[in-house]
Amino acid sequence: MGEDTVAGDGLPRRQAVAMLGKGLGLALLGAAAWGCGPEEQLASGPGREAGKGKDGDTFTTPPPGTAPEALWRTGTANDGLAGIWTLAVAGSTVLVSGDPLVGRDIATGEEVWSREGVAVPGAALLVGGGTLYLASAEYDGDVVGLDPATGRETWRSRLGKKYDQPRPIAADDGHVYVLAGILEEDFSTPNNVIAAIATGTGKVVWREQRDAGTDESGVTAAVAGNRIVYTDFRENLTVRDTATGRQVWTKKIGRSNNRRLAVHDGLVILADGRRLRAFDLAGGGERWSLATDGFSVFSDPAVLDGVLYAADSGRSLWAVDPATGKKIWRNEDLEDAAAPWQFAKVGDTLYGATEFDEDGGVHAFDADGGKLRWTYNDGTGDLQKWHLVASGKRLAALHGKRMTGLPAV
């Protein structure tokens, strides 16, 4: 579904009073979060301000039914424009899209580095081969690589003067893959190219014009072995060879899809309205399809430790065998808890970040059976989506312009 689509729109919002009446209370809202506005919470809520003290490692995940205290909190310059690529983690450093672009220690929240003027508004954070790739904020046609641990520039390349606003869409150990408009004499860009730049030399390895009618915006991509696969707003699903750029196959899918897709063991898996669909990367044949109920639609899928996880707008969470599409378990008890759209897994716990719901937040599920263990909510009532990444035994959750550190395991 499109980036601005609200999953389950039209369903009544559950109020905090109703949650208290059901006995969920502060366990869902986060201990002591009740009654605190964003500014007040940063100063006096549970947990500590980022970089204040080093005692974060003494915290552990609380018992089932009890939300954890925040290990740290900090404000960010997140502009809300980067969509699914707003938050990233490289090693122990967590990054947030915005200006300044900042790297923080995920255990303490302490600022490791900060740089102004290096990221364009809405910059997608794409990390591949230990490098963060960005479109140059100088709008000079360059693509820039930064060291996520220090923020220092370590790499720079360009497609050429004939191409407008090249931007990275995927990266692996050997290449960064870039999309750019082809400049006409009137400076319009009716057509566009996808290209691969060698990360070792900075030279363009291949450059291929995309089919007429393909959209330059709303592109989501992933790399799996010798294949790069991507979708766009125009309902296209396309696979290319990473070594040559040759288009292996392309096909129309049932509805506009520019959200996260999953690649696993020779398959690409994506949400296509009411169905999760898996296609063979080699030939494009559909391997399996799994439908949800009624008028519900699936959200972004993710494969973690060999299991496919996806939620639907009917507030169910599914665990599926990615090879066959067979259901492993389904949690249908999220009516009062909101369904997640982004996932991380640490040990035997699956973490999910929700979107567009004042009663959402970060869920912790038993990965074996799907039972909800607890939900952390910052109590702000902000309807903006949550973003989530994990590293080691720590989680970093972004909600609007606030980032929170939470324990995992």
Side-chain angles (χ1 to χ4, degrees):
M1 75 183 101
E3 185 66 23
D4 295 326
T5 301
V6 179
D9 191 29
L11 295 177
R13 297 291 184 191
R14 294 154 319 283
Q15 301 299 315
V17 173
M19 292 200 305
L20 288 169
K22 293 183 180 181
L24 299 178
L26 297 182
L28 286 182
L29 292 174
W34 188 263
C36 295
E39 295 81 8
E40 181 182 354
Q41 256 195 298
L42 280 173
S44 60
R48 56 184 170 82
E49 187 179 351
K52 301 296 184 181
K54 302 292 184 181
D55 56 347
D57 288 338
T58 65
F59 290 89
T60 58
T61 299
T66 303
E69 292 186 355
L71 303 180
W72 51 264
R73 290 193 182 94
T74 185
T76 74
N78 172 39
D79 53 25
L81 301 175
I84 62 176
W85 308 112
T86 295
L87 197 64
V89 65
S92 62
T93 304
V94 60
L95 313 168
V96 183
S97 181
D99 189 15
L101 183 64
V102 177
R104 292 185 180 274
D105 186 292
I106 197 170
T108 66
E110 184 174 2
E111 183 179 296
V112 179
W113 58 264
S114 176
R115 291 194 60 188
E116 295 183 351
V118 297
V120 301
L125 300 182
L126 297 172
V127 179
T131 299
L132 170 65
Y133 293 101
L134 300 167
S136 171
E138 298 173 4
Y139 297 96
D140 54 7
D142 286 1
V143 179
V144 179
L146 304 182
D147 179 354
T150 65
R152 296 190 184 98
E153 182 178 318
T154 58
W155 186 91
R156 183 175 286 258
S157 184
R158 64 185 300 128
L159 285 183
K161 294 181 179 180
K162 295 190 298 182
Y163 303 98
D164 184 53
Q165 296 185 12
R167 58 194 181 278
I169 59 170
D172 56 26
D173 289 345
H175 303 90
V176 55
Y177 303 91
V178 176
L179 198 69
I182 302 173
L183 280 169
E184 302 292 337
E185 290 184 0
D186 61 358
F187 298 103
S188 65
T189 55
N191 298 301
N192 61 91
V193 297
I194 183 171
I197 302 175
T199 56
T201 64
K203 294 182 178 180
V204 178
V205 178
W206 52 260
R207 184 190 297 113
E208 295 289 332
Q209 182 170 332
R210 297 175 68 210
D211 292 343
T214 54
D215 204 322
E216 191 180 342
S217 59
V219 173
T220 298
V223 181
N226 63 348
R227 296 289 184 263
I228 177 171
V229 54
Y230 53 92
T231 63
D232 61 29
F233 278 147
R234 293 285 178 86
E235 305 176 3
N236 300 292
L237 175 63
T238 304
V239 173
R240 290 183 181 273
D241 183 279
T242 57
T244 65
R246 177 182 61 88
Q247 184 168 292
V248 180
W249 56 265
T250 187
K251 63 176 55 188
K252 292 289 184 180
I253 51 179
R255 60 184 286 142
S256 179
N257 189 310
N258 72 309
R259 297 280 290 254
R260 196 181 306 273
L261 48 82
V263 289
H264 176 75
D265 197 20
L267 297 178
V268 53
I269 306 165
L270 74 164
D272 188 7
R274 293 186 55 247
R275 295 184 296 161
L276 290 174
R277 303 177 69 185
F279 297 94
D280 179 62
L281 276 173
E286 186 166 354
R287 289 277 194 90
W288 58 260
S289 174
L290 176 67
T292 188
D293 303 326
F295 298 102
S296 297
V297 295
F298 277 108
S299 188
D300 305 39
V303 177
L304 302 170
D305 291 343
V307 176
L308 174 70
Y309 300 100
D312 63 42
S313 60
R315 299 181 182 274
S316 290
L317 175 61
W318 300 67
V320 177
D321 181 343
T324 64
K326 293 182 178 179
K327 180 183 70 176
I328 299 172
W329 53 255
R330 181 182 181 185
N331 183 335
E332 300 181 70
D333 300 325
L334 298 177
E335 181 180 352
D336 294 317
W341 74 280
Q342 190 178 53
F343 301 96
K345 187 171 181 287
V346 181
D348 62 355
T349 302
L350 175 71
Y351 299 94
T354 69
E355 60 178 337
F356 305 126
D357 197 306
E358 63 185 358
D359 299 328
V362 176
H363 295 321
F365 299 94
D366 176 1
D368 290 332
K371 183 178 180 181
L372 180 63
R373 292 178 174 175
W374 50 258
T375 300
Y376 174 84
N377 185 296
D378 58 16
T380 64
D382 191 337
L383 293 182
Q384 294 191 61
K385 67 175 62 178
W386 290 72
H387 299 259
L388 179 68
V389 292
S391 180
K393 296 182 178 180
R394 292 293 176 261
L395 306 173
L398 178 68
H399 187 214
K401 289 184 176 293
R402 168 180 299 205
M403 189 159 63
T404 303
L406 295 171
V409 182

